Amino acid sequence: MYPSRFGYEAPKTIDEAIAILDKYAGEAKVLSGGQSLIPVIKLRFAAPEMLVDINGIPGLDYNRVDPDGSIHIGALCRHEDLENNELMEKHAPTIAAAAPLVSDPIVRTRGTFVGSVCHADPQGDWAATMTAMGGHIVAQGPNGTREIAMNDFVIGPFQNTLAYNEIAIEAVIPAPKGVRVGSYLKLERRVGDFATASVAVSLEMNGETVIGAGIALASVGGRTIDATAAAQSLVGNKITPELIAEVAAAVAATAEPRTDHRGSSDYKRQIVKTFVTRILTGLATTSQKAA
Amino acid sequence: MTSLYDEVQAPPAEGVPTRRVTIKVNGADRTVDVEPRLLLAHLLRQGLKLTGTHSGCDSSNCGACVILFDGRPIKSCTMLAVQADGHSLETVEGLASASELHPIQEGFKEEHGLQCGFCTPGMMLAAKALLEVNDDPTEDEIRWALSGNLCRCTGYQNIVKSVLWAAKKMRAEAN
Ligand SMILES: Cc1cc2nc3c(=O)[nH]c(=O)nc-3n(C[C@H](O)[C@H](O)[C@H](O)COP(=O)(O)OP(=O)(O)OC[C@H]3O[C@@H](n4cnc5c(N)ncnc54)[C@H](O)[C@@H]3O)c2cc1C
Ligand code: FES
Ligand code: FES
């Protein structure tokens, strides 16, 4: 498979990259990990005139937790950088749980967290994780930077709200109000396959009481599904088995799965319910132990 | 020098822009003119005639095309040749010296880690990347590290044994 012809630039600064995007007025694409874009241009689902390779721009490969507790992931932080990462295990357990489940180990050496969120694949693990954690994207364009909340960023399958001359330079997850706990569960037929269904849960706790709750789903609808509204009955309460059953049913009702080769729609909805139950049961046990 | 995109019927038409890139391949600098759309796997196989890097699925799934890019494993069918400019690559041809097999190759020989051999170059390079960061991996860790590489023949059992064999030999050599 061969992509159709395109030009290629490898700028050394973000400003240069933005200038090229600006000049091509929508006909240029950012190339980061290339683990979605290169397959897409090989299949000729896209035929950009120009690729702007940002891999040579220094200083974008970080992941860090600021003193205020906010988490910052630079545009060139690779999937594998978030695997076995102590900072993530402590401050962003949902990210730590998802990292080893994204693609396969070889794809993880190249693919980026931010690139995956930009790709806005309804099956993408990071868009669901970011949605559950209430994250936002920092976009930089000719007129400076702006913050775009996840729900305003991913607006449909493979559609984000970046302007043609903007680059997503960082993903940010704001500081939690209390202690952040969470997890990610994904059912896949084999390593490297996209999910049959996956569930991201991120809670903020004050002792045993939930003070903030976010849940998002991947692979069970035409876009990343934000099930946060269905999780709000947790807020202000301790996690009890009755509450878990109520939330699991409410979250499963937000899924819009389609029957395909990975399973029937009913089956996928059942998986969502089971995963929400498992994650919340696990979190209830650990919060009881901690309290 | 190669500016051909061999499997597209004709060489680039007059005026198609190419870029000159210098890539360290198995320790030697190679300078080539490439069209931006040339995939790294094709540069290696058709351009540089390093046919040890295999092309299995051509769709980023199988790992037959895995090489090391600055020491980390990547799928060369999912990277552009121009992206390798200024970087260092290792292919299966770089494993053995003129007189000696690499311990990983020896391991695959000793433990029957291959049947048709199609997946073997990618398996060995993914294994090399693992052993560089973990010289004493468990069976589970090996299975995990190789989980992006598909084999249609062996059932994986002997591949895992081959890597364990190589790890042991490499530890002994290091001491
Ligand atoms: C075999 C295989 C299995 C996979 N399995 C999974 C899986 O299980 N789960 C999963 O979530 N993903 C999976 N993926 C996709 C993988 O995670 C990609 O790495 C990811 O979707 C895209 O990230 P990237 O850095 O490779 O982006 P690229 O491929 O470089 O870009 C993707 C898109 O985003 C745009 N873009 C990228 N970075 C930026 C930026 N900084 N600013 C603006 N626009 C940008 C590009 O222009 C392009 O349109 C798989 C891929 C493969 C090949
Ligand atoms: S040929 Fe590259 S992954 Fe299969
Ligand atoms: S030995 Fe035949 S594919 Fe692995």
Side-chain angles (χ1 to χ4, degrees), chain B residues 94-146:
Chain B
L95 281 181
S97 65
S99 58
E100 253 185 289
L101 290 178
H102 187 280
I104 297 176
Q105 292 172 309
E106 264 187 278
F108 274 71
K109 184 172 160 228
E110 292 301 322
E111 297 288 350
H112 305 280
L114 64 149
Q115 289 179 24
C116 79
F118 200 85
C119 68
T120 314
M123 288 288 180
M124 292 198 298
L125 289 163
K128 183 161 191 261
L130 167 69
L131 297 181
E132 261 153 31
V133 293
N134 179 356
D135 70 354
D136 191 7
T138 62
E139 183 177 329
D140 264 2
E141 286 167 336
I142 294 170
R143 287 185 184 277
W144 186 249
L146 299 183

Side-chain angles (χ1 to χ4, degrees), chain A residues 124-211:
Chain A
D125 296 305
W126 290 134
T129 306
M130 278 283 280
T131 304
M133 298 184 80
H136 62 259
I137 288 288
V138 179
Q140 187 169 335
N143 305 320
T145 59
R146 65 180 177 124
E147 289 178 4
I148 314 171
M150 273 308 287
N151 279 325
D152 301 322
F153 186 73
V154 175
I155 50 164
F158 308 102
Q159 271 183 302
N160 67 47
T161 49
L162 288 173
Y164 66 83
N165 53 11
E166 280 182 319
I167 295 178
I169 54 168
E170 174 176 84
V172 180
I173 293 149
K177 288 183 285 240
V179 175
R180 184 182 276 127
V181 299
S183 195
Y184 193 85
L185 283 177
K186 170 174 177 175
L187 180 69
E188 51 182 4
R189 296 177 304 170
R190 59 168 176 79
V191 169
D193 192 19
F194 281 93
T196 304
S198 31
V199 175
V201 176
S202 180
L203 304 182
E204 295 171 15
M205 307 292 294
N206 179 5
E208 285 183 71
T209 307
V210 179
I211 53 174

Side-chain angles (χ1 to χ4, degrees), chain A residues 271-289:
Chain A
I271 296 295
V272 169
K273 199 169 158 187
T274 305
F275 280 180
V276 173
T277 308
R278 270 191 210 164
I279 294 176
L280 290 178
T281 306
L283 296 177
T285 316
T286 37
S287 74
Q288 275 160 14
K289 277 193 196 136

Side-chain angles (χ1 to χ4, degrees), chain A residues 15-191:
Chain A
D15 286 342
E16 272 176 71
I18 292 169
I20 303 165
L21 291 174
D22 195 49
K23 184 172 142 206
Y24 279 83
E27 298 301 325
K29 274 206 159 286
V30 174
L31 172 64
S32 55
Q35 301 303 296
S36 292
L37 183 56
I38 293 178
V40 161
I41 60 176
K42 282 170 74 178
L43 292 164
R44 302 204 181 191
F45 290 153
E49 246 176 66
M50 170 61 69
L51 290 192
V52 184
D53 182 354
I54 62 170
N55 285 281
I57 301 178
L60 290 177
D61 59 355
Y62 57 88
N63 62 83
R64 60 162 209 268
V65 179
D66 277 358
D68 71 354
S70 58
I71 296 160
H72 299 256
I73 298 177
L76 291 177
C77 173
R78 315 279 170 185
H79 303 320
E80 74 165 2
D81 301 335
L82 300 166
E83 236 180 307
N84 300 320
N85 176 320
E86 280 175 24
L87 266 185
M88 294 302 138
E89 279 159 16
K90 180 148 185 265
H91 298 277
T94 313
I95 293 180
L101 305 177
V102 178
S103 328
D104 66 44
I106 315 287
V107 170
R108 288 200 292 274
T109 68
R110 287 302 293 174
T112 66
F113 182 97
V114 170
S116 165
V117 176
C118 289
H119 190 54
D121 187 330
Q123 303 180 309
D125 296 305
W126 290 134
T129 306
M130 278 283 280
T131 304
M133 298 184 80
H136 62 259
I137 288 288
V138 179
Q140 187 169 335
N143 305 320
T145 59
R146 65 180 177 124
E147 289 178 4
I148 314 171
M150 273 308 287
N151 279 325
D152 301 322
F153 186 73
V154 175
I155 50 164
F158 308 102
Q159 271 183 302
N160 67 47
T161 49
L162 288 173
Y164 66 83
N165 53 11
E166 280 182 319
I167 295 178
I169 54 168
E170 174 176 84
V172 180
I173 293 149
K177 288 183 285 240
V179 175
R180 184 182 276 127
V181 299
S183 195
Y184 193 85
L185 283 177
K186 170 174 177 175
L187 180 69
E188 51 182 4
R189 296 177 304 170
R190 59 168 176 79
V191 169

Side-chain angles (χ1 to χ4, degrees), chain B residues 38 59 62 90:
Chain B
L38 184 69
S59 56
C62 73
E90 183 170 356

